[in-house]
PDB file of all heavy atoms in Angstrom:
ATOM      1  N   PRO A  61      50.252  17.623 -23.644  1.00 97.00           N
ATOM      2  CA  PRO A  61      50.712  18.992 -24.112  1.00 97.00           C
ATOM      3  C   PRO A  61      49.729  19.897 -24.173  1.00 97.00           C
ATOM      4  O   PRO A  61      49.953  21.104 -24.345  1.00 97.00           O
ATOM      5  CB  PRO A  61      51.261  18.603 -25.577  1.00 97.00           C
ATOM      6  CG  PRO A  61      51.690  17.133 -25.489  1.00 97.00           C
ATOM      7  CD  PRO A  61      50.630  16.540 -24.670  1.00 97.00           C
ATOM      8  N   GLY A  62      48.476  19.553 -24.002  1.00 97.00           N
ATOM      9  CA  GLY A  62      47.335  20.511 -24.068  1.00 97.00           C
ATOM     10  C   GLY A  62      47.045  21.286 -22.912  1.00 97.00           C
ATOM     11  O   GLY A  62      46.274  22.239 -22.816  1.00 97.00           O
ATOM     12  N   VAL A  63      47.693  20.933 -21.776  1.00 98.00           N
ATOM     13  CA  VAL A  63      47.397  21.552 -20.467  1.00 98.00           C
ATOM     14  C   VAL A  63      48.048  22.982 -20.498  1.00 98.00           C
ATOM     15  O   VAL A  63      49.153  23.138 -21.130  1.00 98.00           O
ATOM     16  CB  VAL A  63      48.174  20.771 -19.370  1.00 98.00           C
ATOM     17  CG1 VAL A  63      47.977  21.447 -17.940  1.00 98.00           C
ATOM     18  CG2 VAL A  63      47.506  19.357 -19.190  1.00 98.00           C
ATOM     19  N   GLY A  64      47.405  23.922 -19.991  1.00 97.00           N
ATOM     20  CA  GLY A  64      47.850  25.223 -20.045  1.00 97.00           C
ATOM     21  C   GLY A  64      48.530  25.655 -18.670  1.00 97.00           C
ATOM     22  O   GLY A  64      48.123  25.249 -17.560  1.00 97.00           O
ATOM     23  N   GLY A  65      49.568  26.553 -18.913  1.00 96.00           N
ATOM     24  CA  GLY A  65      50.353  26.914 -17.779  1.00 96.00           C
ATOM     25  C   GLY A  65      50.137  28.548 -17.390  1.00 96.00           C
ATOM     26  O   GLY A  65      50.835  28.998 -16.550  1.00 96.00           O
ATOM     27  N   ASN A  66      49.302  29.134 -18.221  1.00 96.00           N
ATOM     28  CA  ASN A  66      49.267  30.674 -18.092  1.00 96.00           C
ATOM     29  C   ASN A  66      48.727  30.997 -16.656  1.00 96.00           C
ATOM     30  O   ASN A  66      49.246  32.004 -16.148  1.00 96.00           O
ATOM     31  CB  ASN A  66      48.142  31.116 -19.093  1.00 96.00           C
ATOM     32  CG  ASN A  66      48.774  31.143 -20.579  1.00 96.00           C
ATOM     33  OD1 ASN A  66      49.973  31.073 -20.667  1.00 96.00           O
ATOM     34  ND2 ASN A  66      47.839  31.155 -21.499  1.00 96.00           N
ATOM     35  N   ALA A  67      47.804  30.253 -16.003  1.00 97.00           N
ATOM     36  CA  ALA A  67      47.377  30.658 -14.719  1.00 97.00           C
ATOM     37  C   ALA A  67      48.510  30.679 -13.621  1.00 97.00           C
ATOM     38  O   ALA A  67      48.623  31.413 -12.787  1.00 97.00           O
ATOM     39  CB  ALA A  67      46.287  29.631 -14.282  1.00 97.00           C
ATOM     40  N   VAL A  68      49.326  29.657 -13.854  1.00 97.00           N
ATOM     41  CA  VAL A  68      50.506  29.436 -12.892  1.00 97.00           C
ATOM     42  C   VAL A  68      51.436  30.763 -13.103  1.00 97.00           C
ATOM     43  O   VAL A  68      51.967  31.354 -12.154  1.00 97.00           O
ATOM     44  CB  VAL A  68      51.232  28.151 -12.999  1.00 97.00           C
ATOM     45  CG1 VAL A  68      52.594  28.177 -12.130  1.00 97.00           C
ATOM     46  CG2 VAL A  68      50.324  27.038 -12.604  1.00 97.00           C
ATOM     47  N   ARG A  69      51.734  31.052 -14.363  1.00 97.00           N
ATOM     48  CA  ARG A  69      52.561  32.176 -14.614  1.00 97.00           C
ATOM     49  C   ARG A  69      52.001  33.455 -14.122  1.00 97.00           C
ATOM     50  O   ARG A  69      52.704  34.349 -13.464  1.00 97.00           O
ATOM     51  CB  ARG A  69      52.904  32.259 -16.173  1.00 97.00           C
ATOM     52  CG  ARG A  69      53.988  31.296 -16.675  1.00 97.00           C
ATOM     53  CD  ARG A  69      54.351  31.532 -18.076  1.00 97.00           C
ATOM     54  NE  ARG A  69      55.375  30.570 -18.573  1.00 97.00           N
ATOM     55  CZ  ARG A  69      56.604  31.027 -18.894  1.00 97.00           C
ATOM     56  NH1 ARG A  69      56.863  32.353 -19.056  1.00 97.00           N
ATOM     57  NH2 ARG A  69      57.472  30.264 -19.278  1.00 97.00           N
ATOM     58  N   GLN A  70      50.710  33.705 -14.348  1.00 97.00           N
ATOM     59  CA  GLN A  70      50.062  34.800 -13.826  1.00 97.00           C
ATOM     60  C   GLN A  70      50.106  34.897 -12.262  1.00 97.00           C
ATOM     61  O   GLN A  70      50.302  35.958 -11.689  1.00 97.00           O
ATOM     62  CB  GLN A  70      48.645  34.884 -14.229  1.00 97.00           C
ATOM     63  CG  GLN A  70      48.456  35.177 -15.789  1.00 97.00           C
ATOM     64  CD  GLN A  70      47.115  34.972 -16.334  1.00 97.00           C
ATOM     65  OE1 GLN A  70      46.170  34.756 -15.581  1.00 97.00           O
ATOM     66  NE2 GLN A  70      46.950  35.107 -17.588  1.00 97.00           N
ATOM     67  N   GLU A  71      49.905  33.683 -11.625  1.00 97.00           N
ATOM     68  CA  GLU A  71      49.940  33.639 -10.145  1.00 97.00           C
ATOM     69  C   GLU A  71      51.292  34.181  -9.526  1.00 97.00           C
ATOM     70  O   GLU A  71      51.273  34.817  -8.496  1.00 97.00           O
ATOM     71  CB  GLU A  71      49.861  32.184  -9.615  1.00 97.00           C
ATOM     72  CG  GLU A  71      49.898  31.987  -8.258  1.00 97.00           C
ATOM     73  CD  GLU A  71      49.677  30.497  -7.889  1.00 97.00           C
ATOM     74  OE1 GLU A  71      49.377  29.707  -8.737  1.00 97.00           O
ATOM     75  OE2 GLU A  71      49.875  30.176  -6.679  1.00 97.00           O
ATOM     76  N   TYR A  72      52.291  33.921 -10.314  1.00 96.00           N
ATOM     77  CA  TYR A  72      53.708  34.304  -9.867  1.00 96.00           C
ATOM     78  C   TYR A  72      54.166  35.536 -10.497  1.00 96.00           C
ATOM     79  O   TYR A  72      55.430  35.883 -10.327  1.00 96.00           O
ATOM     80  CB  TYR A  72      54.654  33.133  -9.969  1.00 96.00           C
ATOM     81  CG  TYR A  72      54.282  32.046  -8.949  1.00 96.00           C
ATOM     82  CD1 TYR A  72      53.813  30.795  -9.360  1.00 96.00           C
ATOM     83  CD2 TYR A  72      54.366  32.266  -7.511  1.00 96.00           C
ATOM     84  CE1 TYR A  72      53.621  29.805  -8.567  1.00 96.00           C
ATOM     85  CE2 TYR A  72      53.977  31.326  -6.624  1.00 96.00           C
ATOM     86  CZ  TYR A  72      53.658  29.972  -7.196  1.00 96.00           C
ATOM     87  OH  TYR A  72      53.294  29.062  -6.294  1.00 96.00           O
ATOM     88  N   GLY A  73      53.486  36.237 -11.228  1.00 96.00           N
ATOM     89  CA  GLY A  73      53.915  37.458 -12.071  1.00 96.00           C
ATOM     90  C   GLY A  73      54.800  37.096 -12.952  1.00 96.00           C
ATOM     91  O   GLY A  73      55.841  37.975 -13.224  1.00 96.00           O
ATOM     92  N   ILE A  74      54.859  36.084 -13.765  1.00 96.00           N
ATOM     93  CA  ILE A  74      55.881  35.785 -14.787  1.00 96.00           C
ATOM     94  C   ILE A  74      55.290  36.019 -16.141  1.00 96.00           C
ATOM     95  O   ILE A  74      54.205  35.520 -16.484  1.00 96.00           O
ATOM     96  CB  ILE A  74      56.182  34.326 -14.748  1.00 96.00           C
ATOM     97  CG1 ILE A  74      56.831  33.894 -13.295  1.00 96.00           C
ATOM     98  CG2 ILE A  74      57.255  33.997 -15.714  1.00 96.00           C
ATOM     99  CD1 ILE A  74      56.984  32.401 -13.098  1.00 96.00           C
ATOM    100  N   GLY A  75      55.955  36.806 -16.966  1.00 95.00           N
ATOM    101  CA  GLY A  75      55.398  37.115 -18.268  1.00 95.00           C
ATOM    102  C   GLY A  75      55.541  35.909 -19.236  1.00 95.00           C
ATOM    103  O   GLY A  75      56.273  34.966 -19.083  1.00 95.00           O
ATOM    104  N   PRO A  76      54.776  36.072 -20.353  1.00 93.00           N
ATOM    105  CA  PRO A  76      54.644  34.956 -21.302  1.00 93.00           C
ATOM    106  C   PRO A  76      55.987  34.497 -21.962  1.00 93.00           C
ATOM    107  O   PRO A  76      56.143  33.443 -22.482  1.00 93.00           O
ATOM    108  CB  PRO A  76      53.544  35.301 -22.231  1.00 93.00           C
ATOM    109  CG  PRO A  76      53.514  36.852 -22.159  1.00 93.00           C
ATOM    110  CD  PRO A  76      53.856  37.118 -20.714  1.00 93.00           C
TER     111      PRO A  76
END
Side-chain angles (χ1 to χ4, degrees):
V63 177
N66 288 340
V68 171
R69 283 190 174 238
Q70 290 171 6
E71 176 183 351
Y72 292 113
I74 303 172

